[in-house]
């Protein structure tokens, strides 16, 4: 959220009884915007308010990664690596037999 939208945004949040936290004193770079901490449960309400009042906000969430998808990707990488190694061994063995 840019500084010029700060008062408008905060008043909209207060009018709609949405809890938020912002500590400007501890934010290193105000030129990139003001960071607000909001509840995930209020996200859809906040999105609607931002659109209604034509405010531009950037979303930065600290979501937990999905480890099951990473496991699936790693299994695919290992499978491909094993296929490549087995093909290389087959070529080496076939070349040794042919010689």
């Amino acid at each position: 959220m840019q500084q010029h939208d700060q008062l408008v945004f905060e008043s909209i949040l207060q009018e709609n009884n949405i809890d938020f936290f912002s500590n400007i004193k501890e934010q290193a770079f105000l030129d990139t915007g003001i960071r607000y901490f909001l509840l995930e449960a209020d996200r859809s309400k906040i999105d609607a308010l931002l659109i209604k009042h034509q405010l531009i906000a950037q979303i930065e969430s600290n979501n937990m990664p999905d480890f099951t998808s990473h496991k699936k990707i790693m299994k695919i990488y290992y499978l491909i690596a094993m296929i490549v190694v087995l093909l290389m061994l087959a070529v080496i063995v076939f070349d040794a037999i042919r010689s």
Side-chain angles (χ1 to χ4, degrees):
M1 179 76 52
Q2 296 298 321
Q3 276 188 317
H4 61 275
D5 292 332
Q6 175 188 5
L7 293 176
V8 175
F9 182 65
E10 288 181 8
S11 67
I12 290 169
L13 292 176
Q14 290 172 352
E15 288 171 5
N16 291 281
N17 296 322
I18 297 174
D19 293 328
F20 68 93
F21 174 75
S22 175
N23 191 348
I24 296 175
K25 294 178 184 176
E26 293 182 14
Q27 294 185 28
F29 303 105
L30 290 177
D31 58 335
T32 58
I34 298 168
R35 182 178 296 174
Y36 289 91
F37 299 92
L38 306 161
L39 295 175
E40 184 69 29
D42 295 329
R43 177 176 257 183
S44 61
K45 189 189 292 187
I46 293 168
D47 288 342
L49 291 170
L50 289 172
I51 292 168
K52 179 181 176 184
H53 295 280
Q54 297 180 348
L55 296 174
I56 298 172
Q58 299 169 341
I59 296 175
E60 176 186 316
S61 296
N62 293 333
N63 294 331
M64 295 301 293
D66 182 14
F67 292 112
T68 57
S69 65
H70 292 291
K71 286 182 182 179
K72 290 177 184 176
I73 292 172
M74 289 307 293
K75 284 181 183 178
I76 292 171
Y77 285 139
Y78 288 133
L79 180 64
I80 291 171
M82 290 302 294
I83 290 171
V84 169
V85 168
L86 289 174
L87 285 174
M88 289 175 56
L89 287 173
V91 169
I92 292 170
V93 169
F94 182 72
D95 190 45
I97 292 173
R98 216 173 58 167
S99 301

